[in-house]
Amino acid sequence: MSISEELTAQILRYYHVEKWRVGTISTQLGVHHATIKRVLSDAGITKTKIFVRHSIIDPYLSFILDTLERYPTLTASRLYAMVRERGYTGGSNHFRHLISCYRPRPAAEAYLRLRTLPGEQAQVDWGHFGSVTIGQATRPLMAFVMVLSYSRKIHLHFYLNARMESFLSGHESAFQAFGGVPRVLLFDNLKSAVLERQGDAIRFNPTLLAFAAHYRFEPRPVAVARGNEKGRVERAIRYVRDNFFAARTYRDVDDLNAQALAWCEGQAADRPCPEDRTHCVRKVFQDEQPRLIALPENPYPSHEVLSVRVGKTPYVRFDLNDYSVPHKHVNCTLTIHATTHAVTILDGAITLAQHVRHYDKAQQIECNSHIEALAQQKKKASLHRGQNRLTHATASGRDFLNAAAVRGHPLRSTTSQLIQLLDDYGAADVDEAMRDALARGVPHPNAVRLGLQRLRDERDQQPPISFDLSKNKQVNELIVKPHKLCDYDVLHQTNEEE
């Protein structure tokens, strides 16, 4: 940097008259020490010879440099053990610092800026965005990102796993958002794309090959540990982290995906295109979209398919939860077709059950007809069904039943009364009333009923109707004979006489 003549004179005066060192002048004047040395050199002052202090590592430098030249990746701890055997007496921490200075550095690599034709290429990758807690389960929050290499149009969709069905579903949602398919898709060497690789010999995942054949694109993995070859999607994921996900609030994954779609079509599409900063991504994508491959008429079946075994109870285990099936299919092998929102259970081509997919853990997702049909055959199961429902609906249900059993209360009537209260008042109020009854040491349904009535009184609410006459068979079959109205005339005449 160039400095004024006044500052130059001030530096020379402090150096010659006040005998300040270069570091002191630099600190007091706020000028870099290199600038001060240049001023002194221009004034004809020779550089002071710096005294170099010898180090205890000096006798071992030739051995260390020769070893590092032959084994560049040798760890400092192993090298420290080798020089210790040869007489080195220094500490390990200082040795690690010195080795970091002498370890050979790879030469800096230069990269070419690659350009692609419109509709020619897109890049795909997963991004990990922490985890989501759903009930008792903790699920990873994964972002599927596809970016068109020419226009930099971004598609973003979040999933609770990175399985193959989510991978293919992300592709389909991106193709629908783009209105077409790029000719080449660049992948990382993830298992959903590449099962095995030896140099240029690649064994693709057969499911991905079938998917690529259906949509007529070429899957192309990048070289191992060469993330720069798909730098567009890497920068897109960083852009998502900084400009979309940071400090964002959402109710659930569906709400997050709705916000992601609006962001992709709004802010992300209005940013300047890196290829031509005079236009936004939206304008460049409008020119690129007609160059994409047209979508096929029928979508690819991207749902997850697996075989499951039904045990003695009418449930199948899938993704940490149990889903009910008709009881006639126990001890059978069935097929599950699972999407991100539904679980369909089939016996061959016959659909046995269809449930909403849950991402909690240790839950029983049931169809009432499956359980009622079994309960008709197993009348003794009603008690266990009621206890099971009570413990799943309320956090205090198990403790309350255990305390009632210790007191000697009949569990059948206790359970049936609590189930009736559960239907009338709801799980939250019943759970609060059971906790209050346990705290007072009265594990009895009457105590729960009084607690519920007290809660209703505090909220100024009417008590619920605990029965439904429309479902009462005796009431529905009751025949009421109308009374003759003329009999009431006698009462009217008597009143007049009085």
PDB file of all heavy atoms in Angstrom, residues 2 95 98 170 193 226 342 395-396 413 430:
ATOM      1  N   SER A   2       0.389   2.293  -0.604  1.00  0.00           N
ATOM      2  CA  SER A   2       1.133   3.554  -0.626  1.00  0.00           C
ATOM      3  C   SER A   2       0.727   4.391   0.574  1.00  0.00           C
ATOM      4  O   SER A   2      -0.447   4.434   0.951  1.00  0.00           O
ATOM      5  CB  SER A   2       0.827   4.316  -1.918  1.00  0.00           C
ATOM      6  OG  SER A   2      -0.564   4.574  -2.012  1.00  0.00           O
ATOM      7  N   PHE A  95       5.582 -31.888  18.632  1.00  0.00           N
ATOM      8  CA  PHE A  95       6.018 -32.649  17.456  1.00  0.00           C
ATOM      9  C   PHE A  95       4.937 -32.633  16.370  1.00  0.00           C
ATOM     10  O   PHE A  95       5.239 -32.491  15.183  1.00  0.00           O
ATOM     11  CB  PHE A  95       6.348 -34.082  17.871  1.00  0.00           C
ATOM     12  CG  PHE A  95       6.831 -34.947  16.755  1.00  0.00           C
ATOM     13  CD1 PHE A  95       8.155 -34.890  16.345  1.00  0.00           C
ATOM     14  CD2 PHE A  95       5.963 -35.803  16.090  1.00  0.00           C
ATOM     15  CE1 PHE A  95       8.605 -35.686  15.310  1.00  0.00           C
ATOM     16  CE2 PHE A  95       6.399 -36.593  15.054  1.00  0.00           C
ATOM     17  CZ  PHE A  95       7.730 -36.531  14.660  1.00  0.00           C
ATOM     18  N   LEU A  98       5.085 -29.351  14.562  1.00  0.00           N
ATOM     19  CA  LEU A  98       6.214 -29.250  13.635  1.00  0.00           C
ATOM     20  C   LEU A  98       5.986 -30.098  12.395  1.00  0.00           C
ATOM     21  O   LEU A  98       6.310 -29.686  11.268  1.00  0.00           O
ATOM     22  CB  LEU A  98       7.498 -29.673  14.344  1.00  0.00           C
ATOM     23  CG  LEU A  98       7.945 -28.775  15.514  1.00  0.00           C
ATOM     24  CD1 LEU A  98       9.172 -29.384  16.194  1.00  0.00           C
ATOM     25  CD2 LEU A  98       8.259 -27.371  15.021  1.00  0.00           C
ATOM     26  N   GLY A 170     -38.612 -38.787  -5.268  1.00  0.00           N
ATOM     27  CA  GLY A 170     -38.047 -37.459  -5.465  1.00  0.00           C
ATOM     28  C   GLY A 170     -37.807 -37.157  -6.931  1.00  0.00           C
ATOM     29  O   GLY A 170     -38.054 -36.037  -7.402  1.00  0.00           O
ATOM     30  N   ALA A 193     -27.868 -45.717  -6.352  1.00  0.00           N
ATOM     31  CA  ALA A 193     -27.477 -45.601  -7.756  1.00  0.00           C
ATOM     32  C   ALA A 193     -26.413 -46.618  -8.145  1.00  0.00           C
ATOM     33  O   ALA A 193     -26.515 -47.267  -9.185  1.00  0.00           O
ATOM     34  CB  ALA A 193     -26.969 -44.181  -8.039  1.00  0.00           C
ATOM     35  N   ARG A 226     -14.986 -37.073  -5.946  1.00  0.00           N
ATOM     36  CA  ARG A 226     -14.867 -35.929  -6.845  1.00  0.00           C
ATOM     37  C   ARG A 226     -16.164 -35.144  -6.818  1.00  0.00           C
ATOM     38  O   ARG A 226     -16.938 -35.098  -7.775  1.00  0.00           O
ATOM     39  CB  ARG A 226     -14.541 -36.393  -8.266  1.00  0.00           C
ATOM     40  CG  ARG A 226     -13.268 -37.200  -8.388  1.00  0.00           C
ATOM     41  CD  ARG A 226     -12.042 -36.347  -8.169  1.00  0.00           C
ATOM     42  NE  ARG A 226     -11.822 -35.427  -9.250  1.00  0.00           N
ATOM     43  CZ  ARG A 226     -10.794 -34.590  -9.317  1.00  0.00           C
ATOM     44  NH1 ARG A 226      -9.918 -34.554  -8.315  1.00  0.00           N
ATOM     45  NH2 ARG A 226     -10.656 -33.775 -10.332  1.00  0.00           N
ATOM     46  N   ALA A 342     -49.194 -44.009   2.574  1.00  0.00           N
ATOM     47  CA  ALA A 342     -50.125 -45.131   2.731  1.00  0.00           C
ATOM     48  C   ALA A 342     -49.366 -46.448   2.791  1.00  0.00           C
ATOM     49  O   ALA A 342     -48.280 -46.594   2.212  1.00  0.00           O
ATOM     50  CB  ALA A 342     -51.138 -45.148   1.596  1.00  0.00           C
ATOM     51  N   ALA A 395     -51.241 -41.812  29.103  1.00  0.00           N
ATOM     52  CA  ALA A 395     -49.918 -42.103  29.673  1.00  0.00           C
ATOM     53  C   ALA A 395     -50.024 -42.732  31.062  1.00  0.00           C
ATOM     54  O   ALA A 395     -49.127 -43.466  31.490  1.00  0.00           O
ATOM     55  CB  ALA A 395     -49.086 -40.820  29.730  1.00  0.00           C
ATOM     56  N   SER A 396     -51.131 -42.451  31.785  1.00  0.00           N
ATOM     57  CA  SER A 396     -51.283 -42.959  33.144  1.00  0.00           C
ATOM     58  C   SER A 396     -52.107 -44.237  33.219  1.00  0.00           C
ATOM     59  O   SER A 396     -52.367 -44.736  34.315  1.00  0.00           O
ATOM     60  CB  SER A 396     -51.952 -41.892  34.021  1.00  0.00           C
ATOM     61  OG  SER A 396     -51.250 -40.681  33.969  1.00  0.00           O
ATOM     62  N   SER A 413     -64.538 -54.640  35.295  1.00  0.00           N
ATOM     63  CA  SER A 413     -65.455 -53.504  35.430  1.00  0.00           C
ATOM     64  C   SER A 413     -64.691 -52.182  35.447  1.00  0.00           C
ATOM     65  O   SER A 413     -65.160 -51.172  34.899  1.00  0.00           O
ATOM     66  CB  SER A 413     -66.277 -53.646  36.706  1.00  0.00           C
ATOM     67  OG  SER A 413     -65.434 -53.645  37.856  1.00  0.00           O
ATOM     68  N   VAL A 430     -59.303 -37.621  30.511  1.00  0.00           N
ATOM     69  CA  VAL A 430     -59.255 -38.841  31.307  1.00  0.00           C
ATOM     70  C   VAL A 430     -57.866 -39.050  31.890  1.00  0.00           C
ATOM     71  O   VAL A 430     -57.713 -39.453  33.057  1.00  0.00           O
ATOM     72  CB  VAL A 430     -59.699 -40.050  30.458  1.00  0.00           C
ATOM     73  CG1 VAL A 430     -59.451 -41.360  31.210  1.00  0.00           C
ATOM     74  CG2 VAL A 430     -61.176 -39.934  30.107  1.00  0.00           C
TER      75      VAL A 430
END
